[in-house]
Every structure is written in C-alpha cells, then in structure tokens.
Amino acid sequence: MRRPPAFTAPFLATLVATFALGACSSTPVARDAPPATAPKTVAAAATPADDNLNAVLWVQRSAEYQAAAETVYRAATARLDAALKDPTWDALVPEERANPARGLPPAVVMDIDETVLDNSPYQARLVRDGSEYNEVTWDAWVREQRAKPVPGVVEFARAAQAKGITVIYISNRAEHLIEPTLANLRAVGLPVKDDSVFLGLGAHVPDCEQEGSEKLCRRQFAGRSYRVLMQFGDQLGDFAQILANTPEARAELQARHRGWFGERWWMLPNPTYGSWEPALFNNNWREPREVRRDTKRKAMDVASP
Ligand SMILES: [Mg+2]
C-alpha cells in the first residue's frame, strides 16, 4: 500500500476558500437512525467519528466481503484453463507490451495489499488512534508479518501453481520490505518461487524509467519473460497506467477495458482506501483532513430534495 505523492493543485486556493471549515450546515439523516427520543449515552458521545469505520468493519466482519472476494478468485480459477490454451491470451494492454507474448511461459501478476494480503488490522489501528496512513506505522505493520490472506486467494494461487503458472507480485510495498513481505506471503500459504517474483516500489527495471508508484515499468518487465494470463488488483492502476488521476480519466480507462474485467483482469473490493479517493480532492493530501472530508461530501450524488 502506498499513497501517491501529493502534488500541487492548481485550484487549491479556490478550494480552501470555498470549503472553509464549518461551511457544511446540513444534517444527514441515517436510514436506520434511532428515534429522536433515544437517550444519548456518555460512551456514544465520546466515540470519535472516523470516515473509515464502516469500510474496515465491512472487510473484517461482513459475510458479504468474504463472499465477494471468494467469488472473484473462484471465477478466475475457472478461467485458467481457457487462458492457458489460447496462445494469444495476454493480460497486458498492447501499449504496455514491447515484445510478443506468444510462446512465453505463463504467469499471473498480482498486487499484494488488499489483493492477496488483508491489511484491515492496520486500517483498524488508524481508526482506533484517529490517525492516518504514514510510512513509519505502515513499515512497522509490514514487519509484524501478521496480514492474513484475502479470502479465496490461496486456493487460486495454488491452483495456478499446480498448472505451471508463475505467480508474480507487483506491489507498491517498498523494496526494503521484501523480506517480511515474502515471509508473510509464504506463512499464509501463497506460492513464492524465489525473490525475483517480488517487484516492489523502487525495483530497477532496465531501459524503463519508473515514475513514483506507477507500475508500468514493472508490468513491462514481467511481460519480457512471461505471457501474463491474468492480473489481479484492488486499484485501477494495478492493471494499466492511469495518465491522470481524475475521476474522468479513471472512468474512461475502466470503460475502455470493460471487457477485460472478469476475463483477464480481476478486481478485488477495497472500500478502505485507494486512488479513487484522492481523485475526488485533486490528489492534495496536504489539505487538512476536515477540508478533504468536506470536498468529499460535496462529491456525493445526493438525492433531492
Ligand atoms: Mg493493493
């Protein structure tokens, strides 16, 4: 997991002026709100609100998340033989493949965080502490090696391995975290052929200039040695390059490759974080949390009146 670097927002000054703290005066009404006469408890009043509480709980406690993730991996498993048999089947977009895929050994490319490893306990820590992601707390969590597998992934990866398919992990976990990361993957039963199957943030790819957390070079690198049967991720950028992280560009990329999802590309649900969120506030993480929240509230499609 890695948040993209914040960049200068051209309309930042306008944004700050427009969304001053306390500007929102409407009061949302929950669908299942308690009666107005319900007594307020001291504990409820003292519980701080956190935007991520429901999302973390959905991942950790709902049967629906379990079923959704298993659905993805079971469906992908069922498509493996068809992908293997078709020599033209390749999951890299043509502009990211510099060499023919035909004849190369098969592989699947998998993101790690929220695709194969579930980091919701780290997200829960942030909710508990009222804090936000940072590299220090993230590195500490990774070194604990306590992430559990996403439902269904172990069965899928083992099935792929049994068919002679190499599992390659392209992750924005930093390269210096390779040791605890591979140990965590192995501990939960995921196949790790050797260290070369981990392409983390900062991995050197000859003849390709990697920009920030963009995975383009690493996908191309995998494509030099393998026919990529499938890609798995929880972010659109796990599958192809996003030229501009705006809601419009993201929607266009998704629509352009709609036919690949459920065939060559497999998206795991992750409501807890992702590039979709900063796209809503112009990727400006430097904004105070309350200002970002206010901008997000204004991005909602609200039924009227
Ligand atoms: Mg991920």
Side-chain angles (χ1 to χ4, degrees):
M1 183 172 85
R2 183 181 171 90
R3 292 255 161 85
F7 63 90
T8 305
F11 58 81
L12 178 58
T14 308
L15 201 63
V16 172
T18 306
F19 304 126
L21 287 179
C24 183
S25 59
S26 63
T27 303
V29 178
R31 277 174 296 167
D32 300 319
T37 54
K40 291 180 180 176
T41 64
V42 173
T47 303
D50 192 292
D51 292 349
N52 226 8
L53 175 61
N54 264 15
V56 171
L57 282 176
W58 187 72
V59 171
Q60 295 191 329
R61 300 292 183 215
S62 79
E64 287 79 2
Y65 169 72
Q66 180 88 18
E70 288 182 357
T71 297
V72 170
Y73 280 117
R74 288 179 64 190
T77 304
R79 299 295 293 166
L80 275 177
D81 285 342
L84 271 171
K85 274 184 199 160
D86 181 353
T88 67
W89 183 303
D90 186 50
L92 294 186
V93 294
E95 54 268 35
E96 293 194 4
R97 176 168 281 292
N99 56 305
R102 187 186 284 262
L104 295 176
V108 290
V109 167
M110 310 191 82
D111 168 56
I112 292 180
D113 296 312
E114 280 48 74
T115 298
V116 303
L117 291 181
D118 165 17
N119 300 290
S120 62
Y122 171 73
Q123 299 295 328
R125 264 184 201 166
L126 301 183
V127 172
R128 179 197 66 190
D129 299 341
S131 56
E132 294 189 283
Y133 167 88
N134 70 59
E135 289 185 6
V136 174
T137 58
W138 172 251
D139 279 24
W141 160 252
V142 170
R143 292 183 194 286
E144 290 172 37
Q145 302 171 32
R146 289 171 52 200
K148 294 191 170 116
V150 165
V153 69
V154 173
E155 293 80 359
F156 167 80
R158 286 181 173 171
Q161 183 187 39
K163 294 175 186 293
I165 299 166
T166 299
V167 180
I168 296 172
Y169 302 94
I170 298 184
S171 167
N172 280 335
R173 289 189 175 200
E175 278 284 292
H176 71 263
L177 293 171
I178 183 172
E179 195 175 322
T181 295
L182 295 189
N184 199 156
L185 293 172
R186 288 187 172 110
V188 300
L190 284 159
V192 179
K193 195 165 78 173
D194 53 45
D195 286 4
S196 73
V197 299
F198 175 75
L199 295 170
L201 188 70
H204 174 65
V205 176
D207 305 319
C208 193
E209 191 76 29
Q210 182 172 284
E211 287 184 31
S213 57
E214 175 56 50
K215 292 181 170 180
L216 167 65
C217 288
R218 288 171 282 166
R219 281 192 295 267
Q220 286 185 337
F221 185 73
R224 290 175 192 175
S225 303
Y226 294 97
R227 180 163 69 92
V228 179
L229 303 184
M230 295 178 180
Q231 295 199 76
F232 295 80
D234 66 301
Q235 310 283 320
L236 199 56
D238 290 331
F239 302 89
Q241 185 171 21
I242 299 174
L243 295 175
N245 193 42
T246 64
E248 295 77 18
R250 296 169 56 78
E252 190 279 326
L253 182 65
Q254 190 275 332
R256 184 157 23 112
H257 298 293
R258 181 174 286 125
W260 284 29
F261 287 101
E263 291 280 340
R264 307 180 199 194
W265 292 0
W266 302 86
M267 185 75 81
L268 277 300
N270 175 14
T272 64
Y273 65 87
S275 299
W276 61 270
E277 184 192 2
L280 298 175
F281 50 77
N282 208 28
N283 305 285
N284 192 351
W285 287 103
R286 293 194 186 94
E287 284 287 88
R289 200 175 189 181
E290 293 301 323
V291 176
R292 282 183 265 131
R293 174 180 292 126
D294 204 18
T295 308
K296 287 194 291 184
R297 285 179 61 88
K298 288 178 169 61
M300 288 193 297
D301 183 7
V302 182
S304 59

